[in-house]
Amino acid sequence: MSHRRLGDEEEGSSVATRLIHNELGRGWALDAVRRVPGGPPRRVYFVDTASPRGRRHRLVLKFYPSDEPEALETEMRGIRTAGRIGIPVPEIIAKDQRTGCILTTRLAGRPVVRPRAGWTWLVKQLAELLVTIHAAAVAPTKFDVYQPWEVDKEHAIPSKDWTPDEWQRCIDVFRAPSPDGSIGFLHRDFHPGNVIWSAGRLSGVIDWSASCVGSPWADVAHCRYNLWRWHGKKAADALVTEYHRLRPELPPYHPYWDIATAMSVPWPIRGTVLRSATEQLSRAG
């Protein structure tokens, strides 16, 4: 189903008002709608509203791009799956397939990307949270199976430091099947920016629109890449170590996961991460 394009806060306010009145009642008042900073593909608005008795409520209105028609339903399934195992998640208030949006409660708190006391605490908490998420019981047919992003695209050699043979090996690993066939519930976009804290306590996990099933190492790798970006390789390695300590039954972390993640998300550190992973593969023979 195609979605009607909405491009500014006036139209966002109109949709928010309609959904609030339809789901909560005409007595609810819309106080404010403001766009959350960030570019495409998704638009997110913070919505402030008040009940007939004057109690204020904080909501989130999230629009999905028309070329991702499955993202809205995936987000709802992901939220419900995580909520069933006790992960604090937003409450779904309403959805609108016509405009491709979802209205939810807004969790108290904020992400902690760079803790003042250092990253050790954050890494430990993220590993424990991932273990909980991955323990969710799901029917694999309800979710897509993990596949790296951008796997079907052409990828040019990143710099003159790579020989064609080295780069081709990297591409071959990227496009090969993953080394671990485990299937479990994944957030798929898990990183510190999608984990909300309030007064030092976990208050929620957001953005489940890419949730799927696959190896738990896929989630670890995506989070690890973010930690590498913000805190360096030592923090990234610590996440793998801590997660494996909590789940020693898993096979060791394979360099494939670094390659699959870094090829999918072309941040400036991509070359560094890919070089590290290919060197590990070479040492392993």
Side-chain angles (χ1 to χ4, degrees), residues 16-95:
T17 300
R18 174 166 53 81
L19 293 179
I20 289 168
H21 287 171
N22 288 348
E23 298 298 324
L24 302 178
R26 289 282 173 179
W28 286 70
L30 186 67
D31 287 343
V33 174
R34 57 192 182 280
R35 175 84 177 265
V36 178
R42 298 188 179 100
R43 289 176 292 121
V44 179
Y45 298 86
F46 284 164
V47 178
D48 294 334
T49 187
S51 70
R53 295 186 177 183
R55 183 177 179 183
R56 294 179 63 84
H57 294 265
R58 305 194 311 165
L59 307 176
V60 174
L61 180 65
K62 183 176 182 180
F63 290 90
Y64 302 87
S66 59
D67 60 353
E68 295 183 17
E70 74 290 343
L72 188 156
E73 294 295 335
T74 300
E75 176 119 41
M76 294 178 66
R77 283 195 298 271
I79 287 174
R80 288 166 178 160
T81 299
R84 284 198 298 268
I85 59 169
I87 299 292
V89 290
E91 178 187 349
I92 300 168
I93 304 297
K95 70 172 182 177

Side-chain angles (χ1 to χ4, degrees), residues 42 46 84 93 98 106 125 133 143 179 242 268 279 282:
R42 298 188 179 100
F46 284 164
R84 284 198 298 268
I93 304 297
R98 182 170 63 88
R106 181 159 28 124
Q125 294 294 318
I133 291 171
F143 290 90
E242 181 63 16
E279 288 175 353
S282 297

Side-chain angles (χ1 to χ4, degrees), residues 237-272:
D237 289 344
L239 179 70
V240 173
T241 300
E242 181 63 16
Y243 188 88
H244 210 188
R245 183 186 70 80
L246 296 170
R247 297 199 61 189
E249 78 282 3
L250 291 177
Y253 186 81
H254 192 280
Y256 162 86
W257 298 109
D258 283 346
I259 292 174
T261 304
M263 291 292 289
S264 298
V265 185
W267 286 337
I269 65 164
R270 181 177 74 157
T272 300

